[in-house]
Amino acid sequence: MFAKIREPDSIETYIESPEKLKKLYKRVLFVVSLSQIFGGAGLAAGVTVGALLAQQMLGTDAYAGLPVALLTLGSACAAFLVGKLSQSRGRRIGLSTGFIVGGLGAVGVVIAAMVNSVLLLFASLLFYGAGTATNLQARYAGTDLASTKQRATAISTTMMMTTFGAVAGPNLVGVMGNVATSMGIPSLAGPFILSAAAFIFAGIVLFMMLRPDPLHIANKIAAYQQQNGKSTSSDTQKADNKKGLAVGATVMVLTQIVMVAVMTMTPVHMQHHGYDMADVGLVIGFHVAAMYLPSLFTGILVDKIGRTAMSIAAGVILLLAGLFAAFAPNDSLLMLIIALSLLGLGWNFGLISGTAQVVDSTEPSTRAKTQGKLDVLIALAGASGGALSGMVVASASYDVLALGGGLLALLLIPVVIWSKKSN
C-alpha cells in the first residue's frame, strides 16, 4: 500500500528529471547484472552434466537429450508465466519468483539422484527450467528505461555479467562432484547443489533490490507521453512492429535450436572418445564464455551497425561452428574448444540482435507479456533441439548433428534479407 501511495510522486520526479531517470537506469542495470552473476552459475548444471546424469540413470544414449529438452520445456512454461506476472506485478516480482522456482527444481534433481528416481528427475528438471527462462528474461529488464540507441548495449551488459557465473559453473563440476560424494550424494548431482543456491540467491537479490520497478516506471512515462501528445502509433508503425517481432523471434529461435542441439550432445560425444569430466568442463566453459563474454561489444555493434548485419553474422558463425565440430578429429580437444566457442558466439550475436529487434517492436504496456510469449518459442526451440539431438546422434552421428545445425543456421540470412527488402 505504501509503495502505491509513493509511486505517483516518484514517477513525476523521473519524468521531470532526465538525470534522475538516467541514474535509475544505471542502478537497474547494476541490480540485474548482479542477479545475472548468480543466475549464470545456476545454468551450469543442466548444460554440463544434465545429459550425463540422464545417461547414467537410464542406461542409454538415445534419451540423453531429454534433460535439456525437459528443462527447456519447463523454461517455455515459465517464460510465459514470468512474462505475464512481470506485466501485471512488475519485473521484481516476476523475475524473483522465476529464479526461486528454478532453485527449488535444482533441489529436486539432487533428491532424484539420491533416490534414483527417473520420474522425480524429469519433474524436477521442468521446474529447474524456470531458472533458465528467468535468467534469459532478465535481459529485458535492463531495456525498460533505455533509449532506442541504448537497448542492445543494455541487453549485452546484463548478459556479459552472466559470464562470471556461467564460466565458473562448468569449471566447478569436479569440485561440486567431490562435495556431493562427501555428502553421500551421486557426484553428477553435485553441480545442481550449486544451481539451487545460485538461483535462489539471484531471486533474493532482485526481490530486495529492484526498487522502484523499471517496467512500472516505463509504463508511467509512456502513458504521460501519450497524454501530452509526445507519442504516436500509426497503422504503418503497427505493421512494422509485427514484422519486427516476427523477424526477431525467427532469429532467436533458429540460433537457439542450433546451439542447444550441438551443445547438448557434446559432453556425451566427448565421453565416448575418452575425455574426462575436467575436459568436458573446459570445453563447456569456453562455450559458455563465448555465449556471454563478448556481449558488451556485441551490443555496441548491434546498436551501431544494425540488427540485420549482426543477424547475418550469427548465421555465418554458427555454420563455421558446425563445420569445425563435424570435421574435428576425435582426439582434438582444441578443435572442440574452437567449435563450441564459435557456437556460443553465434548464439550471442543472434540472441542480442533478435532481442533488440523485439524490444524495438513492443510498447511498455504490453512489452513483458509479449516478450514472455516469444521466449516460449525460444524455449520450445531449445526443447526440440535437445530432444532430437540424442536421436540424431544415436541414429547417425555427432558429425551429422553438427553439420546439420550449421546448415540450418544459414536460414537466418534469407529471413533478415527479406525483412530488409520488405521495408
Side-chain angles (χ1 to χ4, degrees), residues 188-232:
L188 287 177
F192 284 96
I193 298 174
L194 173 64
S195 292
F199 278 158
I200 291 171
F201 197 79
I204 292 172
V205 166
L206 288 166
F207 185 79
M208 298 297 293
M209 299 178 65
L210 199 61
R211 300 169 184 265
D213 194 285
L215 187 58
H216 286 166
I217 301 291
N219 275 321
K220 293 292 185 180
I221 291 174
Y224 173 85
Q225 290 175 337
Q226 192 169 21
Q227 288 172 3
N228 289 273
K230 296 180 181 180
S231 178
T232 59

Side-chain angles (χ1 to χ4, degrees), residues 269 273 275 323-336 399:
H269 169 72
H273 290 92
Y275 293 99
L323 291 172
F324 269 92
F327 296 107
N330 293 328
D331 60 349
S332 177
L333 183 64
L334 177 61
M335 289 288 280
L336 281 173
D399 299 344

Side-chain angles (χ1 to χ4, degrees), residues 43-388:
L43 298 175
V47 171
T48 311
V49 300
L52 297 176
L53 183 59
Q55 180 193 41
Q56 184 183 82
M57 293 178 70
L58 293 169
T60 177
D61 290 348
Y63 302 104
L66 270 179
V68 173
L70 287 168
L71 72 88
T72 48
L73 184 60
S75 178
C77 298
F80 176 77
L81 295 173
V82 169
K84 201 167 183 180
L85 186 59
S86 296
Q87 191 70 63
S88 61
R89 300 291 302 277
R91 299 284 189 192
R92 184 177 73 92
I93 299 298
L95 296 177
S96 60
T97 300
F99 270 131
I100 290 171
V101 170
L104 295 176
V107 172
V109 172
V110 175
I111 296 171
M114 291 173 65
V115 300
N116 197 34
S117 171
V118 173
L119 186 61
L120 179 58
L121 171 68
F122 289 168
S124 298
L125 284 168
L126 288 170
F127 286 97
Y128 173 80
T132 305
T134 307
N135 196 72
L136 192 59
Q137 277 207 33
R139 73 194 189 281
Y140 290 121
T143 69
D144 288 331
L145 302 177
S147 67
T148 304
K149 294 182 179 179
Q150 293 176 315
R151 285 169 179 166
T153 304
I155 295 163
S156 61
T157 298
T158 56
M159 284 183 61
M160 185 186 70
M161 297 307 292
T162 307
T163 309
F164 295 100
V167 172
N171 288 292
L172 289 174
V173 165
V175 174
M176 292 307 300
N178 293 335
V179 170
T181 302
S182 69
M183 297 169 63
I185 299 171
S187 63
L188 287 177
F192 284 96
I193 298 174
L194 173 64
S195 292
F199 278 158
I200 291 171
F201 197 79
I204 292 172
V205 166
L206 288 166
F207 185 79
M208 298 297 293
M209 299 178 65
L210 199 61
R211 300 169 184 265
D213 194 285
L215 187 58
H216 286 166
I217 301 291
N219 275 321
K220 293 292 185 180
I221 291 174
Y224 173 85
Q225 290 175 337
Q226 192 169 21
Q227 288 172 3
N228 289 273
K230 296 180 181 180
S231 178
T232 59
S233 182
S234 66
D235 290 339
T236 301
Q237 287 174 320
K238 289 178 181 178
D240 287 343
N241 284 350
K242 288 181 180 178
K243 187 192 303 175
L245 285 173
V247 174
T250 301
V251 170
M252 291 190 288
V253 164
L254 284 177
T255 53
Q256 186 76 357
I257 290 174
V258 175
M259 188 276 290
V260 172
V262 177
M263 175 203 68
T264 298
M265 294 310 297
T266 297
V268 176
H269 169 72
M270 292 179 68
Q271 190 178 61
H272 283 169
H273 290 92
Y275 293 99
D276 59 25
M277 285 302 299
D279 292 330
V280 173
L282 181 65
V283 170
I284 297 300
F286 270 96
H287 167 67
V288 176
M291 286 173 67
Y292 296 103
L293 193 56
S295 293
L296 185 57
F297 299 104
T298 304
I300 293 170
L301 288 172
V302 171
D303 281 333
K304 294 291 184 183
I305 69 175
R307 283 60 163 148
T308 299
M310 293 300 288
S311 295
I312 292 173
V316 173
I317 291 171
L318 288 171
L319 173 62
L320 290 174
L323 291 172
F324 269 92
F327 296 107
N330 293 328
D331 60 349
S332 177
L333 183 64
L334 177 61
M335 289 288 280
L336 281 173
I337 288 174
I338 293 172
L340 269 290
S341 296
L342 288 171
L343 186 71
L345 182 62
W347 177 86
N348 177 274
F349 280 18
L351 186 74
I352 293 178
S353 58
T355 300
Q357 183 88 302
V358 167
V359 175
D360 290 344
S361 305
T362 53
E363 301 294 332
S365 59
T366 58
R367 181 167 292 160
K369 185 166 60 176
T370 302
Q371 290 163 346
K373 290 178 180 177
L374 291 179
D375 274 4
V376 170
L377 294 178
I378 297 172
L380 290 175
S384 300
L388 294 174

